[in-house]
Amino acid sequence: MQLPLQEAREGHEGYVFDNANTQAVEQHRCLAASLDPITTSRLAATGVRAGWNCLEVGAGGGSVARWLADRVAPAGEVVATDINPDHLRARPGLRVLRHDVVRDPLPEEAFDLVHARLVLLHLPEREAVLAKLVRALRPGGLLQLDEFDIDYGPVLLAPSRGAAELYERFLAAKARMFADAGADGSWGRHAAAAMRAAGLADIDPVPYLVPWRAGSPGVDLLIHHTHHLRDRFIAAGLTDAELADVREVMRHPDFRASSCAIYSVQGRRPR
């Protein structure tokens, strides 16, 4: 199958995470450490195996694409796409393409498995993109979306009341910047119904909550966001001193929180 190679674009207006930012490598590492166990366990349950053709949309650092390629090669192939694929490397069984899933076409009825993680929640055009991903599936093919619902994620224990309130202000500021960029922070809990409306069958949404404490991958990701998104946090009303303080809160041995809700949703295109 052929997908068009595109010239580099600036990306979607207002998109929060910039893949060209020097912080992107650490962003990808933290995402892989915190979410790959969930993603790959669900993908394994699809029965993905040698000979399958897979599409990984918004592949980022490529950890999931490489996991898939290890299972489908050499008879099958993973096509890993990103609007900025500079952090991806092709290898046997893994093809890398610069591709904008909103604007660029996808081949229809081409893939046994399509996967996207934390992509559609950021796209105002998420319903149209979902329809495009469904059309890219072969009859009987599987779509897996892994998405957040950031409306949930309470602090459970903090070294002080003020520390807990600062953490909550930090999460609220991040939610506002997502909304201002056109993201839907609650998309995770709506993804299953949207997949059914798009024509998929055998919809299987599985929610996950992960305990967060100092040193856990999810907390490392949040701490990284205080650096990666520093300018946006300042614009949202936090100060550098508050960002430094909330990092210390999340590194404190008494800190405990729940992750946001993580939804891994699978559906099958009818035969």
Side-chain angles (χ1 to χ4, degrees):
M1 80 231 20
Q2 295 297 319
L3 284 86
L5 280 168
Q6 301 291 333
E7 294 299 321
R9 294 190 176 105
E10 291 300 318
H12 299 285
E13 183 179 356
Y15 180 62
V16 171
F17 296 103
D18 180 3
N19 222 19
N21 190 299
T22 57
Q23 299 280 356
V25 171
E26 180 65 6
Q27 169 81 359
H28 296 152
R29 187 196 69 79
C30 291
L31 282 171
S34 59
L35 295 179
D36 277 10
I38 291 172
T39 295
T40 58
S41 68
R42 289 281 284 164
L43 288 172
T46 68
V48 59
R49 57 189 178 273
W52 280 31
N53 288 316
C54 305
L55 174 65
E56 175 72 8
V57 177
S63 61
V64 175
R66 291 189 293 273
W67 185 93
L68 286 169
D70 287 343
R71 282 148 184 82
V72 305
E77 181 183 57
V78 177
V79 177
T81 73
D82 203 285
I83 197 166
N84 181 350
D86 292 348
H87 302 279
L88 302 170
R89 296 291 178 268
R91 67 184 200 185
L94 176 57
R95 186 154 56 106
V96 174
L97 293 177
R98 186 182 306 275
H99 183 267
D100 181 338
V101 73
V102 172
R103 301 180 178 96
D104 299 332
L106 285 172
E108 297 191 6
E109 298 191 2
F111 299 101
D112 302 290
L113 174 67
V114 174
H115 174 251
R117 183 170 73 190
L118 306 182
V119 175
L120 273 66
L121 75 87
H122 288 289
L123 304 177
E125 308 89 347
R126 61 189 62 85
E127 303 282 352
V129 170
L130 174 58
K132 186 184 294 188
L133 298 183
V134 170
R135 292 193 299 270
L137 288 169
R138 291 173 176 160
L142 289 159
L143 172 65
Q144 178 173 317
L145 299 180
D146 298 327
E147 301 281 9
F148 284 164
D149 180 348
I150 63 173
D151 288 348
Y152 184 83
V155 58
L156 305 174
L157 185 67
S160 69
R161 186 187 196 104
E165 291 173 349
L166 176 59
Y167 177 76
E168 289 168 351
R169 292 205 309 276
F170 162 73
L171 292 185
K174 193 165 76 160
R176 289 195 302 274
M177 72 174 69
F178 273 43
D180 289 346
D184 179 357
S186 68
W187 167 248
R189 70 177 182 262
H190 303 301
M195 288 167 66
R196 184 174 62 185
L200 295 181
D202 303 325
I203 308 297
D204 183 23
V206 177
Y208 296 85
L209 292 177
V210 179
W212 281 351
R213 63 181 66 198
S216 64
V219 170
D220 287 347
L221 179 64
L222 291 185
I223 290 173
H224 171 69
H225 288 168
T226 67
H227 300 290
H228 193 167
L229 305 177
R230 180 262 177 191
D231 292 347
R232 290 181 180 266
F233 277 117
I234 297 301
L238 295 184
T239 67
D240 280 322
E242 287 173 323
L243 290 174
D245 287 345
V246 80
R247 285 193 285 269
E248 291 308 307
V249 169
M250 290 187 280
R251 290 179 176 130
H252 196 284
D254 289 342
F255 175 77
R256 299 287 189 279
S258 171
S259 71
C260 62
I262 305 161
Y263 291 89
S264 183
V265 191
Q266 293 177 349
R268 183 183 300 277
R269 182 171 180 175
R271 295 184 183 276

